[in-house]
Amino acid sequence: MFEIREDVSRDECANVLARAFANEPGMRWVCGANLDVSRRWFTATLALNDSRPGARRYAVTRGDEVLAVAIVSPAVPPPRLFQQLRWMAAVGGACGWQCVRRTLRYLELTEPLKPAGMWTLDFIGVAEGARGQGLTRVLLRRIEADLPEHPLFLTTADPRNVPMYKHLGFTVEKALELDGMSVSAMSRDSSLDRENVNAKIVAA
């Protein structure tokens, strides 16, 4: 049986996301190919996201195994300056200052593309051994159930993800180039077919 939980530790979620994004062009541009660097970047970034009122962290689990993770942040002002500086120090010390500069460059280009009032699907990643079981859709349905009136915004630097997100109801709002990468900004209203995702989620 699958279960969706909101109490999975930050470190466990960072581990799943680092592996899920290991070959994603944007993360490789920011962190390189080193999985430990990516894991430390995700740990620091999830800590920053946790500082935002209303931010949510979801994990699909089976027993003690974490299969998929989604991170969602609300349409509120960015974290306070001291929290941003803490993130910069954590990432700069653990990952290198190039990771900080490239993250800020990515945000500088993509944040202005987000329509006012939209929540952001910051990350959604599925462990390699759990792919093909519809867990991305399961997580999106749970997010929609919890936030029925809030449309979602995301960006992806992997063109291979665009058809999947379109299938899940997202539309491309704008595309841009960043250091040879194609970055798509996408949004979705609350129109996925509704299911009781809190109750009967069974394994494939």
Side-chain angles (χ1 to χ4, degrees):
M1 294 282 289
F2 294 146
E3 180 183 6
I4 299 180
R5 294 169 49 192
E6 298 183 55
D7 62 347
V8 173
S9 75
R10 189 183 299 155
D11 287 343
E12 289 180 281
C13 290
N15 184 54
V16 170
L17 290 171
R19 293 182 179 278
F21 280 78
N23 295 311
E24 197 269 343
M27 279 308 304
R28 290 181 73 90
W29 180 71
V30 169
C31 293
N34 188 308
L35 188 62
D36 286 334
V37 170
S38 181
R39 186 182 296 111
R40 291 193 291 269
W41 184 93
F42 272 109
T43 299
T45 301
L46 295 190
L48 179 64
N49 196 66
D50 285 347
S51 71
R52 307 186 71 183
R56 294 172 179 264
R57 184 168 70 235
Y58 298 96
V60 178
T61 63
R62 183 169 52 209
D64 294 330
E65 183 181 12
V66 182
L67 304 177
V69 172
I71 308 298
V72 188
S73 60
V76 296
R80 296 178 181 177
L81 179 60
F82 81 90
Q83 294 165 332
Q84 297 182 48
L85 292 174
R86 181 183 298 172
W87 172 86
M88 292 173 65
V91 172
C95 307
W97 288 100
Q98 178 172 271
C99 293
V100 175
R101 289 192 295 270
R102 289 189 169 182
T103 302
L104 295 178
R105 176 61 176 156
Y106 187 94
L107 293 174
E108 178 187 19
L109 292 177
T110 58
E111 281 297 301
L113 304 178
K114 181 168 63 175
M118 280 198 167
W119 283 54
T120 301
L121 180 61
D122 297 285
F123 308 105
I124 189 164
V126 180
E128 186 173 359
R131 292 171 188 169
Q133 301 181 48
L135 298 186
T136 296
R137 182 176 291 275
V138 166
L139 284 167
L140 282 173
R141 284 175 173 159
R142 171 57 182 267
I143 292 167
E144 184 185 51
D146 286 355
L147 307 168
E149 304 304 322
H150 297 286
L152 289 176
F153 172 84
L154 65 81
T155 63
T156 179
D158 191 342
R160 296 171 298 181
N161 287 338
V162 172
M164 176 192 70
Y165 286 125
K166 285 183 176 180
H167 183 69
L168 293 169
F170 287 84
T171 58
V172 176
E173 301 293 341
K174 191 173 180 61
L176 56 86
E177 294 293 320
L178 171 59
D179 200 16
M181 295 185 299
S182 177
V183 180
S184 296
M186 308 183 72
S187 64
R188 179 186 69 80
D189 62 19
S190 313
S191 60
L192 281 179
D193 54 305
R194 300 196 176 269
E195 293 183 357
N196 185 355
V197 296
N198 295 312
K200 299 178 181 178
I201 300 172
V202 296

